[in-house]
Amino acid sequence: MSNKTILLVEDNASDIDLTKRALTKSRIANKLVVKEDGQEALDYLFNECSQAKGTLPALILLDLKLPKVDGLEVLKRIRANETTRRIPVVILTSSGEKVDVADSYDRGANSYIRKPVDFNQFVDAVNGLGMYWLVINEAPPL
């Protein structure tokens, strides 16, 4: 499981730290790549990863409210590209707006998780994500 990379696209330093702590507490030792805005995430996926074949992340945790390019646009571009369209994308956001949930699924999100405020609940959510997407789920060939 630990050879699979997770891409976290998140601009809030506290949420980045919280996610790192939750991954550690859940014993998810996968390499974590953090990009702090939508454009950085797209550059990583379409430039860095495409130059080094086989380095695409196994899972993308994507916030919606991002600078430069918002999360819904990042998701749209991921799904529009032949190389990245099958990567599981989990929306991990504080937004509980029904329109955000609907738009995320309409654009191809695999899952939508609202960030719990409580750290222990967040650890449980991250642990479940890791177990399902990195261990249990049979991923399609990329």
Side-chain angles (χ1 to χ4, degrees), residues 1-106:
M1 173 168 98
S2 63
N3 62 342
K4 297 177 180 178
T5 300
I6 300 169
L7 172 60
L8 172 64
V9 188
E10 172 63 65
D11 65 318
N12 182 301
S14 296
D15 286 346
I16 292 169
D17 183 56
L18 185 69
T19 303
K20 287 178 179 179
R21 288 183 17 227
L23 288 167
T24 299
K25 187 163 180 152
S26 296
R27 295 188 184 105
I28 297 173
N30 298 67
K31 177 181 176 184
L32 181 68
V33 174
V34 178
K35 299 300 174 185
E36 295 186 20
D37 67 56
Q39 189 58 56
E40 281 184 10
L42 293 170
D43 289 345
Y44 172 75
L45 289 168
F46 299 125
N47 295 330
E48 290 179 50
C49 290
S50 67
Q51 292 170 7
K53 298 291 184 207
T55 63
L56 287 170
L59 175 64
I60 299 171
L61 303 177
L62 179 63
D63 189 19
L64 291 181
K65 310 301 183 205
L66 297 168
K68 297 186 182 176
V69 179
D70 72 30
L72 288 174
E73 182 62 25
V74 171
L75 179 59
K76 178 181 169 185
R77 293 186 196 178
I78 288 169
R79 292 298 182 241
N81 185 282
E82 185 72 25
T83 305
T84 58
R85 69 184 169 103
R86 292 183 178 161
I87 299 172
V89 177
V90 175
I91 303 300
L92 188 59
T93 187
S94 56
S95 173
E97 297 292 322
K98 290 182 181 189
V99 68
D100 286 340
V101 175
D103 286 348
S104 295
Y105 281 114
D106 287 347

